Amino acid sequence: MAISPGELVERIRTATGPGLRMTSGAGNRLFVQGESSAQWMLGKKTVSFEAILKLDELSSTLIYWEMLSERSSGLAAGFFMSKFSQKGTERTESGSGTMPSGESYAYDFGSYRERMRKLAGDAGWQFKTVLMKPKD
């Protein structure tokens, strides 16, 4: 039996963890954002994460959408590493980098989605990944 939407929201809030900010919106929507960045003398690199989770009470489904964006400016220097895999509509990617100044950044795109998938399943809810941002 599926748990209540309110209890699921609290479990999601607890599982979101450090480095990500979660806010609630209308219509059982949750917004999650996070950012990792590094700056050096001649440039900057920022990796931003955004996710929207929508709880569909009628079907007990957690609808999930996410996006990762990278922005960089200036001259690139340092050591950068990334790896990715694609399975159907879901992409998983992780990466890190170290600048000459010693600053570093890291990201793990896909790990939050997998935590939410497990959390939904354990709560008796279905999990559905979508390509388009959920609308009200």
Side-chain angles (χ1 to χ4, degrees):
M1 174 160 217
I3 65 171
S4 72
E7 189 174 338
L8 182 58
V9 167
E10 282 310 308
R11 289 185 184 186
I12 291 169
R13 189 178 312 280
T14 301
T16 295
L20 295 173
R21 296 174 309 282
M22 187 178 98
T23 56
S24 298
N28 282 331
R29 292 166 60 106
L30 304 171
F31 302 93
V32 179
Q33 296 177 320
E35 185 173 280
S36 182
S37 64
Q39 187 169 354
W40 59 99
M41 186 184 302
L42 299 174
K44 180 179 181 178
K45 180 161 184 135
T46 303
V47 179
S48 301
F49 172 76
E50 177 184 2
I52 297 176
L53 295 83
K54 183 176 179 180
L55 284 68
D56 183 348
E57 293 183 58
L58 294 177
S59 65
S60 294
T61 302
L62 178 61
I63 299 167
Y64 183 87
W65 172 87
E66 66 185 351
M67 182 176 71
L68 182 74
S69 60
E70 296 182 38
R71 294 182 309 276
S72 59
S73 61
L75 299 175
F79 174 73
F80 310 97
M81 182 181 82
S82 66
K83 62 181 179 175
F84 76 92
S85 66
Q86 181 90 27
K87 183 176 181 182
T89 60
E90 296 181 355
R91 179 180 172 104
T92 301
E93 180 178 346
S94 62
S96 61
T98 304
M99 309 307 149
S101 64
E103 280 198 68
S104 62
Y105 69 92
Y107 62 93
D108 188 0
F109 182 60
S111 64
Y112 185 73
R113 176 183 58 237
E114 292 310 312
R115 284 198 321 261
M116 294 302 106
R117 182 188 316 275
K118 180 171 179 0
L119 192 145
D122 291 349
W125 284 63
Q126 299 295 316
F127 183 86
K128 181 180 177 184
T129 303
V130 294
L131 295 175
M132 303 293 286
K133 258 186 188 182
K135 306 251 188 238
D136 284 334

